[in-house]
Amino acid sequence: MTLNRLVVTKAINDHLLGFEFRNDELYRIKDLASTIPIGSIYCGQVHSVAKNINAAFVYIQDDVKGFLPLSETMGNVKIGDKVLVQINVDKMKTKEFGLTSKFQLKSPSLILTVGNVEIGISKKISDKHRREELKELMTRYKNREFGFIVRTRAKSMDNAAIMADAASLIERYTKLVMKFKHIAPKTLLYNTNSNAAYCQEFLSYEDSKIITDDREFFNEISKYNILCEFNKLTNVSLLNQYSLQKNINNAINTNVWLDCGGYLVIEHTEAMTVIDVNTGKYNVGRDREKAIFKVNKEACYEIAKQLRIRNISGMVIVDFINMENKEHILELKTYIKELLDHDYVKASFAGFSNLGLGEITRKKEESPLKEILEK
């Protein structure tokens, strides 16, 4: 039985979305309609340098500008300079695309990291012997320009296939640099089909399948020999079959109910997201501390899930129900850290503040779901 499904449809607001279910539970909602996808690499031109915010504004197309932190450059930049940049943060409301010159190139087993010359191993590869083997294998490729991150998929791959990936990435990098030297500014240099890459990565999970009712998307990824099922059932829409509208409604509501009867209140401000945990309908009973711990723990699971589905990024403050038991507090910290480790972007729990508020940070990449639905 297929437990992991990627359901792709335009049924919501005529906007192409991918509903990713893992173990039959919604894991994330992916925007598949972006015309300038994250990961694209451009020959940009510096429009201005703002020393007060340590950043440069760079045109990547005649009418498209990006924000390049000076910490993300490979040296000093000045107005008019050509710069090799990659989009690493989607455009959000009034904010420009986020750019970096320390770009990455990906293959199934490796990520080539320009400007970071270290060899990193995915922490999801837990076998100590395999980690050491992979580290030794990749050390031969160390140089002054780039390093590598060994991805989780490499743990079960043949070393020869990993080395072939490394050779392919190095060749791609070399060609990019050479092309950059001779090309005019504001030109696209590299644009892997982000939808195809996303689908290929999704299918790397066991028991996975992709299903769509959008003919254009089906034809697009079929060009890359990606297995995809086209929904031909006219009497049963994907919208109803997978309760997609219900999932969307749950992902934009301010209140989110927990199975125990408690609930979350999720509110957004300009600077951060604030989440309040409440007991709601839950019968606390005589053992108040045990009951509060149960609600807080269930809230942790739902918070991690909502951050992924809504694609909430930046600073998140969580007002858990106050607990006195130090063992419960420690267990809660450990649990939420484990949950955040399963996010598709970097997310971390910084701990509890002096006021007892939980502090979460989540990397900004793609636009929030609410913003995508408003497009």
Side-chain angles (χ1 to χ4, degrees):
M1 181 179 178
T2 302
L3 296 178
N4 301 314
R5 296 179 181 86
L6 176 60
V7 181
V8 180
T9 183
K10 281 185 178 178
I12 309 291
N13 295 359
D14 198 32
H15 192 97
L16 192 67
L17 295 172
F19 293 77
E20 184 177 329
F21 293 86
R22 294 193 188 177
N23 295 319
D24 286 333
E25 181 179 49
L26 185 63
Y27 174 77
R28 72 182 288 194
I29 301 174
K30 169 80 170 169
D31 181 9
L32 299 174
S34 178
T35 55
I36 304 180
I38 291 174
S40 301
I41 298 176
Y42 285 84
C43 173
Q45 186 170 40
V46 178
H47 171 68
S48 61
V49 179
K51 293 281 180 72
N52 59 323
I53 57 172
N54 291 313
F57 290 93
V58 177
Y59 274 107
I60 56 175
Q61 294 178 11
D62 286 333
D63 57 347
V64 181
K65 195 163 51 175
F67 179 85
L68 175 65
L70 298 183
S71 61
E72 292 294 315
T73 64
M74 301 298 286
N76 294 326
V77 295
K78 60 183 184 298
I79 295 172
D81 280 356
K82 287 200 318 181
V83 283
L84 186 58
V85 292
Q86 182 175 51
I87 297 175
N88 64 348
V89 179
D90 203 358
K91 188 172 184 176
M92 300 182 193
K93 292 185 179 178
T94 58
K95 296 182 179 178
E96 309 290 355
F97 287 105
L99 305 175
T100 180
S101 288
K102 299 175 182 178
F103 60 88
Q104 298 182 344
L105 299 173
K106 296 181 181 181
S107 73
S109 65
L110 301 169
I111 301 174
L112 184 149
T113 56
V114 176
N116 179 358
V117 300
E118 300 300 318
I119 304 296
I121 311 292
S122 167
K123 60 184 178 182
K124 292 181 182 178
I125 301 177
S126 56
D127 183 82
K128 185 178 179 181
H129 174 73
R130 183 57 174 157
R131 290 181 66 87
E132 290 174 353
E133 183 183 16
L134 290 167
K135 187 91 170 181
E136 184 178 347
L137 178 71
M138 296 309 300
T139 299
R140 70 186 72 184
Y141 297 105
K142 283 196 73 169
N143 63 79
R144 295 181 179 181
E145 294 180 50
F146 55 79
F148 285 95
I149 297 172
V150 181
R151 306 179 76 179
T152 306
R153 195 171 173 183
K155 68 180 177 182
S156 57
M157 288 178 64
D158 184 84
N159 286 353
I162 297 171
M163 292 169 67
D165 272 0
S168 175
L169 289 175
I170 292 169
E171 182 182 8
R172 198 189 309 170
Y173 167 75
T174 304
K175 286 181 177 178
L176 264 175
V177 173
M178 289 300 295
K179 193 174 180 181
F180 167 74
K181 291 177 180 178
H182 304 288
I183 204 165
K186 295 180 277 188
T187 304
L188 178 66
L189 287 173
Y190 176 74
N191 182 21
T192 183
N193 186 295
S194 60
N195 287 351
Y198 168 63
C199 290
Q200 286 170 334
E201 187 159 347
F202 175 77
L203 289 175
S204 67
Y205 298 104
E206 291 183 7
D207 300 320
S208 299
K209 79 169 184 178
I210 302 170
I211 182 168
T212 185
D213 57 7
D214 187 77
R215 178 60 68 179
E216 186 178 346
F217 173 81
F218 178 81
N219 292 338
E220 175 194 351
I221 66 164
S222 294
K223 294 175 185 175
Y224 296 86
N225 297 319
I226 296 171
L227 291 176
C228 179
E229 178 183 325
F230 188 80
N231 183 44
K232 296 179 180 178
L233 300 175
T234 55
N235 60 328
V236 183
S237 69
L238 296 182
L239 186 73
N240 293 329
Q241 189 175 350
Y242 294 99
S243 304
L244 302 185
Q245 188 64 61
K246 180 182 177 182
N247 279 298
I248 284 287
N249 292 342
N250 289 340
I252 60 176
N253 285 342
T254 301
N255 290 7
V256 179
W257 286 98
L258 307 175
D259 289 341
C260 67
Y263 67 96
L264 309 177
V265 179
I266 303 176
E267 296 182 306
H268 305 281
T269 69
E270 194 65 33
M272 66 184 72
T273 299
V274 179
I275 302 177
D276 189 32
V277 182
N278 299 274
T279 53
K281 300 175 183 177
Y282 183 62
N283 184 9
V284 174
R286 294 181 179 179
D287 194 341
R288 178 176 173 78
E289 185 66 26
K290 185 177 179 181
I292 288 173
F293 176 64
K294 175 180 172 64
V295 176
N296 279 338
K297 191 170 183 181
E298 197 169 307
C300 285
Y301 183 86
E302 192 61 36
I303 288 167
K305 178 180 175 181
Q306 292 297 322
L307 294 183
R308 294 193 311 266
I309 294 173
R310 298 175 186 230
N311 203 21
I312 296 170
S313 57
M315 174 66 76
V316 180
I317 300 297
V318 184
D319 188 3
F320 288 104
I321 305 167
N322 290 336
M323 296 183 297
E324 302 293 335
N325 189 309
K326 291 183 178 180
E327 288 185 5
H328 284 169
I329 295 171
L330 183 61
E331 187 175 337
L332 201 72
K333 286 171 67 175
T334 302
Y335 183 55
I336 195 164
K337 284 180 179 180
E338 289 174 355
L339 292 170
L340 294 174
D341 279 345
H342 291 90
D343 205 321
Y344 55 89
V345 299
K346 185 177 181 181
S348 58
F349 182 70
F352 289 100
S353 70
N354 293 334
L355 297 175
L357 301 173
E359 298 179 0
I360 297 172
T361 57
R362 190 169 184 272
K363 186 179 178 182
K364 292 184 179 180
E365 282 194 3
E366 300 171 358
S367 299
L369 177 65
K370 188 176 180 181
E371 193 173 310
I372 290 168
L373 297 174
E374 291 171 352
K375 289 181 180 178

